[in-house]
Amino acid sequence: MESEAFDLKDWQKFISILLGFCCILGLLAGCSQKEALPEENRLAYSLSSSVVENSPVETHTYDLSFLLQENQMILDCCWVDTNRLLCLTASQNNEAAEENLPSEIRLYMLYKGDSTLELIYQGEQFGNQLQKLPQDKVAILSAYSITVFDYNRNQIVNELEINNDEESGNHLALSPNGSQIVYGDENGMIHLVDEKNETIGQLEPRDLGYNFLSNPIWSKDGNYIACFCGYEPYSYDDIAIAPVDELDNAQALNYEASEDFYPVWPDQGDHLLVLHNFYNNPDNLPRSLSVLNPDNGNEIKTIALDNRFNSISLIYADTSTDIYYFVCDQQLYRQQGGQAAECISPQGLQVYSDMVRFLANGQKCCILANDTAGNISSLYVLEFD
């Protein structure tokens, strides 16, 4: 009997160990799978794509018009790596927009290599803009909220609503690493908060000799903030630069080299770019781009730009190689150093500055293209040497 009791206990231990081992295998298997949409809701499409003939650079086009037939309006897209584009769409729900309710959004991953489009998320969220973040994440931005989405696990990992007691939706901007947010309020102050919406610091216009600060933007390394300074709400009489860790050391540049100036941080490098006579140029004054040192506001160099265009917008800049991309009169142009700008967009395609998305290293860009009704219906992908 003692021997039989011993054997029974051994058998129970064996079963317990076996069940535990199976549980561990199950957990490991679960961790290795995507937490995606249920199988019945997950969709993949084979896209119609083609090479654009006689284009100045290698160009492919992808037809997305079928999304409009599914009542999906394309809002934005961003590169997540060299071969994948994440696309944000929303249902065309006028009632939700009028009542300030979240829209039904969808996220699609476009795989450039095999021309497929996969639905990886759908749900009700605020947001109409995407921003790439580190560690396989993107932010979905609206005027008052930020939703962080993990595009490899296909799930939302954080949601943050900015306090809007002071109507704080004046150009809310998320830091490059997604850990801090900067925005302006209706009184002209700039607020810096962390991802838990706790205040880190503030910029007051009177400390810079002005009445109103607006439109803050981040340097690409996240170390600086630049913003407009003005005497009237949302005016731009000057540019201020502030180290994020030392907001008290903000300085106004007092930069008056032209009729207007707009601050831009280049995608490669962390000098501040100032654009002269880009937008307000009725007298056809010389257009130029100045590269400034953010530590002291000193000018490093100035690059002369083409004056033959009616409108010009800077889209991408790499100050280390002196390569700049502009949208000029609804065409995409590239300029290197002091050389003449060359048109590189496909013939007949109208290009708008808010519809061009560059890969971070500048080797590719995506152009969102409208149909005759003004809806985004296709993507053009341009590849550069």
Side-chain angles (χ1 to χ4, degrees):
M1 293 293 294
E2 291 180 1
S3 176
E4 289 179 4
F6 180 81
D7 290 341
L8 180 59
K9 289 179 180 178
D10 278 358
W11 175 249
Q12 290 172 335
K13 288 181 180 179
F14 174 75
I15 294 296
S16 298
I17 293 170
L18 182 61
L19 289 173
F21 182 68
C22 290
C23 288
I24 291 171
L25 286 178
L27 287 172
L28 291 174
C31 290
S32 65
Q33 295 174 352
K34 287 184 177 180
E35 297 179 31
L37 290 168
E39 188 68 32
E40 63 271 16
N41 294 334
R42 201 165 61 220
L43 299 172
Y45 304 87
S46 180
L47 298 180
S48 173
S49 64
S50 60
V51 177
V52 179
E53 301 292 339
N54 301 319
S55 180
V57 297
E58 182 180 343
T59 304
H60 298 258
T61 181
Y62 300 87
D63 183 9
L64 300 177
S65 58
F66 68 92
L67 291 175
L68 295 172
Q69 299 170 7
E70 298 185 3
N71 197 36
Q72 290 297 305
M73 181 171 56
I74 302 172
L75 301 178
D76 198 8
C77 69
C78 73
W79 292 95
V80 299
D81 56 36
T82 57
N83 287 306
R84 291 188 296 170
L85 268 168
L86 189 65
C87 301
L88 170 66
T89 72
S91 61
Q92 302 181 53
N93 187 340
N94 293 329
E95 182 179 342
E98 291 173 359
E99 297 184 12
N100 197 28
L101 298 173
S103 300
E104 180 189 314
I105 68 164
R106 295 183 183 181
L107 290 169
Y108 294 88
M109 188 68 78
L110 192 158
Y111 299 88
K112 180 181 174 295
D114 57 7
S115 301
T116 59
L117 188 75
E118 181 187 11
L119 175 64
I120 62 173
Y121 174 80
Q122 67 182 92
E124 292 191 348
Q125 305 288 149
F126 287 107
N128 58 7
Q129 184 182 357
L130 295 175
Q131 178 179 327
K132 177 73 172 68
L133 300 176
Q135 299 178 336
D136 303 330
K137 295 179 179 63
V138 295
I140 306 169
L141 305 174
S142 76
Y144 300 105
S145 66
I146 296 171
T147 301
V148 179
F149 180 79
D150 187 315
Y151 54 79
N152 280 339
R153 290 192 292 160
N154 299 349
Q155 67 177 18
I156 289 174
V157 295
N158 191 21
E159 294 182 274
L160 174 64
E161 184 172 341
I162 300 298
N163 293 331
N164 57 5
D165 297 337
E166 297 175 328
E167 299 184 12
S168 59
N170 163 27
H171 199 95
L172 177 150
L174 182 64
S175 65
N177 65 5
S179 66
Q180 297 176 329
I181 302 112
V182 64
Y183 63 89
D185 66 25
E186 64 177 359
N187 298 313
M189 290 181 59
I190 300 294
H191 300 263
L192 179 65
V193 300
D194 63 18
E195 56 189 338
K196 296 180 181 178
N197 202 15
E198 296 179 356
T199 299
I200 298 173
Q202 296 175 333
L203 278 176
E204 295 196 22
R206 62 186 180 186
D207 293 339
L208 293 161
Y210 290 92
N211 299 330
F212 205 93
L213 305 179
S214 63
N215 297 83
I217 58 174
W218 290 88
S219 64
K220 298 301 176 179
D221 62 2
N223 290 332
Y224 293 91
I225 295 169
C227 65
F228 290 146
C229 308
Y231 297 104
E232 302 294 335
Y234 307 108
S235 58
Y236 45 91
D237 297 289
D238 203 347
I239 296 169
I241 302 177
V244 174
D245 294 336
E246 299 177 87
L247 292 182
D248 292 341
N249 288 333
Q251 60 172 327
L253 297 182
N254 298 314
Y255 206 73
E256 301 176 353
S258 65
E259 292 297 315
D260 66 11
F261 41 80
Y262 283 74
V264 177
W265 297 98
D267 286 82
Q268 302 292 316
D270 294 299
H271 299 117
L272 182 69
L273 306 183
V274 175
L275 318 180
H276 303 297
N277 305 315
F278 269 46
Y279 307 101
N280 263 336
N281 197 14
D283 300 325
N284 199 31
L285 298 172
R287 287 188 171 110
S288 63
L289 185 155
S290 293
V291 181
L292 307 183
N293 183 335
D295 291 321
N296 50 33
N298 291 339
E299 185 174 301
I300 298 172
K301 59 183 174 182
T302 295
I303 298 164
L305 302 175
D306 209 315
N307 245 41
R308 59 188 156 132
F309 304 111
N310 294 318
S311 64
I312 181 169
S313 299
L314 178 67
I315 304 299
Y316 180 92
D318 184 347
T319 55
S320 63
T321 60
D322 255 0
I323 295 179
Y324 307 91
Y325 291 88
F326 305 92
V327 170
C328 310
D329 296 345
Q330 298 180 354
Q331 296 291 307
L332 184 63
Y333 280 79
R334 174 173 59 194
Q335 178 171 335
Q336 184 161 11
Q339 300 176 9
E342 57 172 338
C343 180
I344 58 171
S345 54
Q347 187 175 4
L349 176 65
Q350 289 187 324
V351 182
Y352 300 93
S353 59
D354 59 346
M355 293 190 177
V356 183
R357 305 290 182 268
F358 266 83
L359 187 64
N361 61 14
Q363 294 179 354
K364 297 179 183 179
C365 83
C366 166
I367 300 174
L368 301 165
N370 289 336
D371 59 16
T372 55
N375 298 310
I376 298 170
S377 59
S378 60
L379 299 177
Y380 286 77
V381 175
L382 285 63
E383 304 192 27
F384 313 117
D385 297 332

